[in-house]
Amino acid sequence: MTEAESGEAIIGGNITVSQMPGVGTTTNSYGYYSITLAGGDYTLIFSYIGFENKRVDVNLEDDIKLDIELGLGIDMEEVVVTGEDEDENVSRTSMGVINLNMEQVSRLPVIFGELDVLKTIQLLPGVLSAGEGFSGFHVRGGGADQNLVLLDEATVYNSGHLLGFISVFNSDAIKNTTLIKGGMPPEYGGRISSVLDIQMKEGNNRKFQAEGGIGLIASRLTLQGPILKEKTSFLISGRRTYLFDLAQPLLKGGNFEGTNYYFYDVNAKVNYRFSDRDKVFFSAYFGRDILDFVSGNRGFRFQMPYGNRTATLRWNRTFGNKMFKNTSLIYNDYQFDFEGQQEEFKFALKSGIRDYTLKTDFDFFPDAAHHLKWGYSISHHKLSPNQASGSTGDAEFDSAQKPEYALQGGVYLQNDWKISNRLNLLVGLRYSFFNHIGPYPGEEGEDPLIRGESVVWYDAFEPRASLNYRLNSQTSVKAGYARTNQYLHLVSSSTSTLPTDIWVPSTRLIPPQTGDQYSLGLFRNFFNNTYEASVEVYYRDLSNQLEYSETYTPSLADRLEDEFEVGKGRAYGVEWFLNKRKGDLTGWIAYTFSVAERKFDEINGGEYFPASYDRRHDLAVVGTYSLNERIDLGATFVFGSGQNYTPIEGLYLINGFPAEIYGQRNSAQLPAYHRLDFSLVLNPRKETGEGRFRSYWTFAVYNVYSRKNPLFIYPSYEEDASTGAIKSEAFQVSLFPILPSITWNFKFN
Amino acid sequence: MGVSILFFTSCEEPFDPPLYGDRNEVVVEAFIEWNPENNLPPYVILSRSFPFTAEIDPQFIGELFIEDAEVRLSGGGKEVLLTSFCVEDLPPPIREEVGAQLGIDSFFVNLCLYIDIQRDLEVQPGETYQLEIEVEERKFQSLTTIPRPVPLDSLWAAPVPDPKADSLAQLFLRLSDPAGPDYYRYFTSVDGGALIPPLTSVTDDNIFDGQQFNVSILKAEPRGSEIDPATFGYFKRGSSVVLKWCTLDEDQFNFWETLEFSRNNQGPFSSYTLVSYNIEGEDGIGIFGGQSCYYYSILIPMEL
């Protein structure tokens, strides 16, 4: 199933049979579908939100192949919150799955005027922001590293530009975003909390298009079009910031001349259909943040580039009419470099992670009751922790850190089984393994292990299941269980994704993280699927969680695996979600009550403590309103319990100056967080809107009532040199007051 | 840009922290030093913890010191009972000398300490010493070993990178680090002032083990002084500088490393760091540290 205007595959498109209520299927990630029916006459209905339904009469005597194009809906009130089927909320077997439609994302208010899919998912139930303005997120009491973030199947290890304030995902290049926070299907592995699966657009194979925008801090441009009509098309999309470039003349001649910061990223994709049954895609992402700092007076300069690179080559093939195969070859890396110089002292630091992955997935539809999926994946990891080197005059230094290598893989089988019209069961099993391989220094009394030698082997069976029982056409009850394993870890002493964050493999000292999630939910739609509502409860058991020891200080020479404490965790909560999908006014209310706790023998005296992202109450109210043909309004209001912190219970003097005695970990709370944002989209007049060139304006106000939300607090001690008195005070730091932004967007067909 | 956005938009205001009952920690600052002149006797300062909201004036600080403890040091086959005294009991010249050695510029506070006044204990590199303290029936103890001394190869002054700043100089040292783990700390004193450590005063030798190299050192700024980025860490030409260059035992390195990291990283991207103590006994915190030090004097010439 494809979009008529662009030829893009429709993901999650719906196929139902008019004569057989309750029988149907959905398209997969490549727009492919298969449905098995007994011989006879049927009317098939093809639908996708935002598009016109298509009815096709078929006379089934033999297998047939039906390629369907859907045109945009005439009645644009159909543009709704999610890009899924109307009653998907009730009918889908799996739990905790949310698809985000970019059309909706584009009408919500955003900070700096930069659309950001990672900020939008923070407004969903069960998803917490990593902090004011940050694109990092926590799902159901899990750490930020426990989310599997995929861009066209390639793992993105660091999803933040600009210290995490802006995500690396350029929304112009994104077609579809799926967040799986509940019962992770067996096809996904390697993380224990959630999957954020982002798919890039394929490129319009019907006509050439250019679109872009100019914002306060960045501009962007996307080109797409056919290379060979109907056969091959391309998309290339880029953006770059320029705020500091504009400031360059002010720095000229000064101490900081040459200092600059910018980021850019490029998404590119081409596809080629070389037969009715075969299609190949190549997609790539390249992004860099670059900070150059120069202090001429001090003879000091450094350059700090960092970013991700991904490339995915995919081959889709259909076998007969019931089987679909996708094979992908994937490369991805994240690299952080720092090169500094002060006079004759030079210093360089490199860290990163690089993967090669091969995976194949099969979809098989043997009959109307079963949708089988199976496949395998295997990855080779190269992890380079802090590799420091330096020189001063004739001396050279080198940290003892060497790259670490690992093989990771998995095989899985799952079946989405329609047991009856009321009962669906999605059941599956994933077997995963991880092999940390040398070189490895070895333990005392052991010879160092050479490259390729096995250091440690871990494997695990990961059963997953979800059950959907339909009470009636509008209501269902679902239950889910998922066991997940995680073999790569990122332990951060910060609350956000920082460029310096380092991924480490499971080793002899670091066992794999394991998560068990149990969930139960009630799903109900009202008023012809205009409103959808759900309540979900979950409990998670987490083992082998990692934290730095309480006396950890970063050192380039440390072997990170020696610095971790291993413990366990638990998380539970309840999520309410009410979503209005149709009409001039759309939007949702999401409220989550949740608890996330951790327990380590060597931290907090071995007692359970709340995780730093344990925020008991979290509310988001999101709305967009189509005032008239020219004006769309949007608003979001968020309210959340304040961030936990570890309080200072007392002071003592060392060398006459105060030092802190801390209380129980994360036992105090900052004041509550709340904020209101507005947006206004000014669409082109109808007469200009019909031409080949369209442009529109987006105005947004972040933090309308300028709430001073505390991001953190810090103690301060001021010594009066004339009296010897020391004043101890605490301060709270708030980041963003009211911030207006304006963006001009255009589209050329 | 990230920094500039934070700079332009962030704001801070006073925050009233929650109140907690009194903690009852006994704080130990105990040091035993070897140096070629053997001119610093082992000393111990004992004090109590206090609430965050306390008014910390000199009188309050004076009352924090514990004067009636029994403090014993043993090692090298000897045990000594340290003598308690307060600096106000000393004649002013000795008071100033003690102040300069302990890194205290002024004596608003009547500092009280315990000291091996007779120099009965012989301090030698490689020797292990034990500290025992008894305060109101609470007992604390700790061990330390004097590390091997590592002298500098040389120390010299050089111009700063900015040719216009011709009244300033920076100091360089050359070190031959012996093979094996060493932990270093330094202090500076300018024109007879107190020997004080810079904000980050310690380092291990993990990345330069066994190497010979040159490195610049920073002038330590007195607490409470305004930091000027243009001159920070530089010395004035014509000034007389003393550099105290020490090796530390590992516990003492860990103590300063964690304390300085905790003090310098109170920010949005860090969580708290606990200070690593080596004092045994309930609610005993602080450090008993052994060190080997050299003192180098240099007069920075006007012309470089």
Side-chain angles (χ1 to χ4, degrees):
Chain A
M1 195 188 292
T2 53
E3 295 178 19
E5 191 195 13
S6 63
E8 292 265 351
I10 291 176
I11 301 169
N14 198 52
I15 299 99
T16 52
V17 184
S18 171
Q19 291 80 0
M20 300 173 72
V23 172
T25 188
T26 51
T27 57
N28 72 4
S29 307
Y30 302 93
Y32 173 84
Y33 72 94
S34 173
I35 187 165
T36 303
L37 301 166
D41 292 322
Y42 298 98
T43 305
L44 299 179
I45 304 165
F46 297 85
S47 61
Y48 185 63
I49 295 297
F51 288 79
E52 264 190 285
N53 290 1
K54 197 167 221 174
R55 297 169 76 89
V56 179
D57 293 325
V58 292
N59 173 251
L60 286 184
E61 288 173 354
D62 208 347
D63 287 355
I64 60 167
K65 183 166 181 286
L66 209 53
D67 291 334
I68 294 295
E69 285 181 357
L70 294 187
L72 277 175
I74 297 162
D75 183 357
M76 285 308 287
E77 83 174 25
E78 286 287 307
V79 175
V80 293
V81 173
T82 58
E84 61 186 21
D85 179 48
E86 289 219 326
D87 74 342
E88 190 77 15
N89 179 49
V90 172
S91 64
R92 179 197 282 126
T93 318
S94 48
M95 299 179 67
V97 179
I98 298 174
N99 287 315
L100 270 188
N101 177 299
M102 293 313 294
E103 180 73 28
Q104 172 77 11
V105 174
S106 70
R107 293 197 291 164
L108 295 176
V110 285
I111 187 167
F112 312 134
E114 291 295 308
L115 292 186
D116 197 333
V117 70
L118 293 194
K119 303 265 173 58
T120 308
I121 66 164
Q122 294 169 4
L123 301 169
L124 298 170
V127 185
L128 288 177
S129 153
E132 169 94 68
F134 291 122
S135 55
F137 61 99
H138 299 276
V139 177
R140 290 188 171 174
D145 70 319
Q146 294 172 353
N147 307 314
L148 179 63
V149 181
L150 299 172
L151 179 64
D152 271 0
E153 299 189 81
T155 305
V156 176
Y157 283 102
N158 190 316
S159 56
H161 283 303
L162 188 63
L163 301 176
F165 286 116
I166 292 176
S167 87
V168 299
F169 303 110
N170 175 356
S171 44
D172 281 355
I174 295 173
K175 173 160 123 181
N176 194 67
T177 301
T178 305
L179 175 71
I180 304 169
K181 57 180 178 163
M184 196 187 289
E187 63 182 291
Y188 296 106
R191 297 289 184 281
I192 63 171
S193 276
S194 78
V195 179
L196 184 70
D197 193 352
I198 297 175
Q199 278 135 348
M200 281 165 56
K201 288 175 183 166
E202 290 165 19
N204 195 322
N205 69 13
R206 305 278 153 81
K207 60 185 177 187
F208 181 79
Q209 268 185 332
E211 64 183 308
I214 296 172
L216 283 182
I217 62 170
S219 285
R220 51 189 214 284
L221 178 67
T222 302
L223 305 174
Q224 55 180 323
I227 298 172
L228 285 171
K229 223 167 187 177
E230 310 284 327
K231 264 201 170 298
T232 178
S233 62
F234 78 97
L235 173 135
I236 183 159
S237 181
R239 60 177 173 164
R240 189 188 189 281
T241 56
Y242 38 64
L243 202 60
F244 239 106
D245 294 322
L246 302 176
Q248 289 301 304
L250 301 176
L251 299 176
K252 206 164 172 72
N255 180 30
F256 298 110
E257 181 176 356
T259 298
N260 199 354
Y261 168 81
Y262 57 94
F263 76 74
Y264 63 90
D265 51 34
V266 179
N267 292 73
K269 193 161 180 174
V270 286
N271 66 81
Y272 179 63
R273 179 185 292 277
F274 56 90
S275 84
D276 270 1
R277 298 200 169 277
D278 299 278
K279 194 170 182 184
V280 172
F281 303 82
F282 177 74
S283 53
Y285 166 87
F286 184 83
R288 282 290 178 273
D289 282 57
I290 293 174
L291 172 62
D292 289 315
F293 179 82
V294 178
S295 172
N297 290 354
R298 302 192 69 93
F300 177 60
R301 64 183 308 142
F302 70 80
Q303 187 174 55
M304 191 175 85
Y306 64 91
N308 298 278
R309 243 185 321 206
T310 74
T312 310
L313 181 65
R314 291 194 280 194
W315 172 31
N316 288 179
R317 183 172 175 81
T318 52
F319 298 91
N321 291 321
K322 294 187 175 179
M323 187 146 55
F324 173 90
K325 184 194 80 168
N326 175 65
T327 299
S328 302
L329 191 60
I330 303 158
Y331 169 87
N332 57 282
D333 79 1
Y334 171 74
Q335 195 68 40
F336 170 84
D337 289 321
F338 176 98
E339 277 185 33
Q341 180 171 7
Q342 181 153 31
E343 297 179 274
E344 66 167 13
F345 179 68
K346 292 179 183 163
F347 177 74
L349 176 71
K350 286 177 188 298
S351 60
I353 177 165
R354 187 270 297 137
D355 297 345
Y356 293 108
T357 301
L358 175 68
K359 68 190 284 274
T360 300
D361 303 280
F362 290 89
D363 279 277
F364 180 50
F365 303 83
D367 55 45
H370 297 276
H371 174 188
L372 288 161
K373 264 193 116 154
W374 69 90
Y376 69 86
S377 71
I378 181 138
S379 299
H380 179 264
H381 303 291
K382 178 185 177 185
L383 300 107
S384 312
N386 289 327
Q387 292 185 284
S389 59
S391 66
T392 168
D394 48 353
E396 293 195 348
F397 315 112
D398 203 346
S399 72
Q401 303 286 355
K402 295 283 176 281
E404 298 189 86
Y405 299 88
L407 280 177
Q408 181 177 357
V411 291
Y412 72 92
L413 172 66
Q414 74 183 50
N415 184 12
D416 194 351
W417 180 19
K418 195 180 280 284
I419 298 172
S420 73
N421 278 347
R422 285 181 179 274
L423 191 62
N424 280 29
L425 173 68
L426 193 156
V427 63
L429 183 68
R430 183 179 181 88
Y431 167 76
S432 61
F433 68 87
F434 186 85
N435 189 195
H436 182 210
I437 48 184
Y440 187 72
E443 271 116 77
E444 262 185 68
E446 185 188 23
D447 287 335
L449 285 88
I450 61 166
R451 187 159 181 183
E453 263 189 294
S454 174
V455 179
V456 66
W457 170 277
Y458 293 106
D459 61 1
F461 287 98
E462 305 175 22
R464 322 265 175 96
S466 17
L467 191 74
N468 178 352
Y469 183 74
R470 280 186 89 135
L471 298 173
N472 55 46
S473 64
Q474 303 262 291
T475 316
S476 66
V477 180
K478 300 183 195 180
Y481 166 75
R483 163 161 282 216
T484 43
N485 266 48
Q486 179 162 346
Y487 300 100
L488 297 177
H489 323 275
L490 180 150
V491 186
S492 182
S493 52
S494 76
T495 53
S496 178
T497 46
L498 287 183
T500 47
D501 287 344
I502 293 165
W503 287 85
V504 293
S506 292
T507 65
R508 288 178 182 175
L509 300 181
I510 306 175
Q513 301 181 52
T514 304
D516 288 290
Q517 178 167 182
Y518 310 85
S519 45
L520 185 68
L522 177 67
F523 297 77
R524 178 163 171 89
N525 287 6
F526 302 92
F527 305 117
N528 191 26
N529 299 316
T530 299
Y531 291 90
E532 60 181 32
S534 62
V535 185
E536 290 185 59
V537 293
Y538 66 88
Y539 179 84
R540 299 183 65 201
D541 225 342
L542 309 166
S543 60
N544 298 333
Q545 300 299 286
L546 298 176
E547 291 274 357
Y548 282 116
S549 76
E550 287 180 299
T551 54
Y552 171 72
T553 56
S555 164
L556 297 175
D558 292 331
R559 256 194 353 172
L560 278 173
E561 63 178 320
D562 297 329
E563 306 293 332
F564 296 137
E565 302 292 340
V566 180
K568 61 182 184 178
R570 62 186 179 198
Y572 48 94
V574 52
E575 300 163 356
W576 280 270
F577 190 45
L578 175 65
N579 183 8
K580 182 170 184 294
R581 298 152 46 96
K582 299 180 187 175
D584 288 336
L585 175 69
T586 60
W588 67 84
I589 300 171
Y591 169 70
T592 306
F593 171 82
S594 62
V595 174
E597 295 175 319
R598 298 288 183 269
K599 187 175 187 293
F600 294 77
D601 289 345
E602 301 296 325
I603 296 177
N604 202 46
E607 300 290 320
Y608 267 108
F609 60 86
S612 60
Y613 40 84
D614 176 321
R615 268 165 269 160
R616 299 287 152 104
H617 304 280
D618 192 55
L619 171 75
V621 183
V622 178
T624 60
Y625 181 64
S626 190
L627 190 63
N628 56 42
E629 280 178 357
R630 287 208 69 199
I631 295 175
D632 291 324
L633 300 171
T636 57
F637 172 74
V638 291
F639 178 93
S641 303
Q643 172 110 6
N644 293 325
Y645 71 96
T646 305
I648 296 169
E649 291 196 346
L651 297 176
Y652 60 99
L653 296 176
I654 290 291
N655 204 15
F657 199 70
E660 297 87 13
I661 299 169
Y662 287 97
Q664 297 280 300
R665 186 172 177 121
N666 291 335
S667 60
Q669 219 176 40
L670 294 176
Y673 181 98
H674 51 91
R675 196 189 79 229
L676 177 68
D677 308 331
F678 278 134
S679 67
L680 187 154
V681 180
L682 189 62
N683 294 304
R685 289 180 193 285
K686 210 166 184 184
E687 54 269 30
T688 58
E690 286 169 354
R692 296 189 71 189
F693 183 83
R694 296 178 71 216
S695 71
Y696 64 96
W697 293 87
T698 306
F699 305 90
V701 183
Y702 181 87
N703 199 2
V704 170
Y705 53 88
S706 211
R707 157 82 175 169
K708 287 177 183 164
N709 285 303
L711 180 68
F712 66 96
I713 56 167
Y714 73 94
S716 162
Y717 310 101
E718 246 179 68
E719 189 169 13
D720 184 336
S722 63
T723 65
I726 299 171
K727 192 176 180 190
S728 62
E729 285 179 292
F731 291 94
Q732 70 167 52
V733 175
S734 310
L735 215 47
F736 300 119
I738 183 168
L739 279 183
S741 65
I742 178 168
T743 312
W744 179 73
N745 307 282
F746 68 88
K747 197 166 186 175
F748 180 81
N749 285 316
Chain B
M1 184 171 64
V3 175
S4 68
I5 285 174
L6 300 188
F7 179 78
F8 287 122
T9 64
S10 68
C11 83
E12 65 177 40
E13 55 188 39
F15 176 80
D16 287 330
L19 296 176
Y20 293 91
D22 282 359
R23 303 278 300 215
N24 195 22
E25 273 79 358
V26 167
V27 187
V28 178
E29 293 171 86
F31 300 98
I32 178 163
E33 175 177 315
W34 173 88
N35 67 54
E37 287 79 34
N38 194 24
N39 60 5
L40 186 67
Y43 68 92
V44 177
I45 301 170
L46 297 178
S47 61
R48 294 182 195 282
S49 59
F50 55 94
F52 182 81
T53 47
E55 295 273 330
I56 315 171
D57 57 27
Q59 190 191 340
F60 176 82
I61 297 171
E63 289 164 6
L64 292 176
F65 293 117
I66 300 169
E67 295 175 62
D68 54 356
E70 203 173 278
V71 180
R72 290 173 192 281
L73 266 180
S74 56
K78 280 192 180 162
E79 180 180 288
V80 293
L81 179 66
L82 303 192
T83 309
S84 168
F85 74 94
C86 298
V87 290
E88 280 184 359
D89 305 336
L90 299 173
I94 299 177
R95 194 190 296 183
E96 270 174 31
E97 177 136 340
V98 171
Q101 285 288 350
L102 301 184
I104 299 167
D105 242 337
S106 58
F107 276 99
F108 295 111
V109 173
N110 182 22
L111 174 69
C112 298
L113 63 165
Y114 301 80
I115 202 158
D116 176 14
I117 211 152
Q118 303 294 334
R119 307 305 306 273
D120 286 336
L121 206 67
E122 196 180 341
V123 181
Q124 286 297 335
E127 194 71 56
T128 297
Y129 299 87
Q130 182 170 22
L131 171 70
E132 290 173 291
I133 298 166
E134 196 170 334
V135 183
E136 296 154 5
E137 297 183 354
R138 294 163 71 188
K139 288 186 178 172
F140 307 96
Q141 58 181 359
S142 185
L143 286 176
T144 190
T145 302
I146 306 294
R148 62 178 171 189
V150 180
L152 299 178
D153 296 350
S154 53
L155 177 71
W156 69 97
V160 300
D162 183 1
K164 286 178 282 192
D166 56 5
S167 64
L168 297 173
Q170 51 185 338
L171 280 186
F172 282 89
L173 59 83
R174 184 162 186 84
L175 178 71
S176 297
D177 176 67
D182 295 285
Y183 306 96
Y184 295 101
R185 185 167 196 232
Y186 74 91
F187 307 73
T188 64
S189 145
V190 176
D191 294 334
L195 276 162
I196 49 177
L199 284 176
T200 304
S201 67
V202 292
T203 181
D204 58 26
D205 63 355
N206 277 335
I207 66 163
F208 55 81
D209 187 33
Q211 298 216 52
Q212 189 178 47
F213 59 93
N214 304 340
V215 68
S216 68
I217 56 162
L218 297 177
K219 170 176 166 271
E221 304 290 343
R223 284 202 308 258
S225 57
E226 288 287 319
I227 288 180
D228 177 358
T231 61
F232 175 74
Y234 294 155
F235 296 86
K236 281 199 178 112
R237 294 188 189 184
S239 55
S240 165
V241 176
V242 175
L243 171 70
K244 177 178 177 179
W245 178 256
C246 304
T247 46
L248 310 180
D249 68 294
E250 187 176 359
D251 280 350
Q252 192 187 175
F253 166 76
N254 288 334
F255 174 79
W256 293 116
E257 166 92 341
T258 49
L259 180 71
E260 290 174 353
F261 183 79
S262 168
R263 282 179 174 168
N264 299 339
N265 286 277
Q266 305 281 0
F269 302 125
S270 62
S271 54
Y272 67 100
T273 303
L274 293 190
V275 176
S276 180
Y277 313 125
N278 70 345
I279 305 298
E280 287 176 27
E282 196 180 336
D283 289 336
I285 61 177
I287 183 66
F288 176 40
Q291 59 201 38
S292 290
C293 304
Y294 292 91
Y295 294 72
Y296 300 96
S297 297
I298 181 170
L299 179 66
I300 300 180
M302 296 303 290
E303 296 297 323
L304 285 167

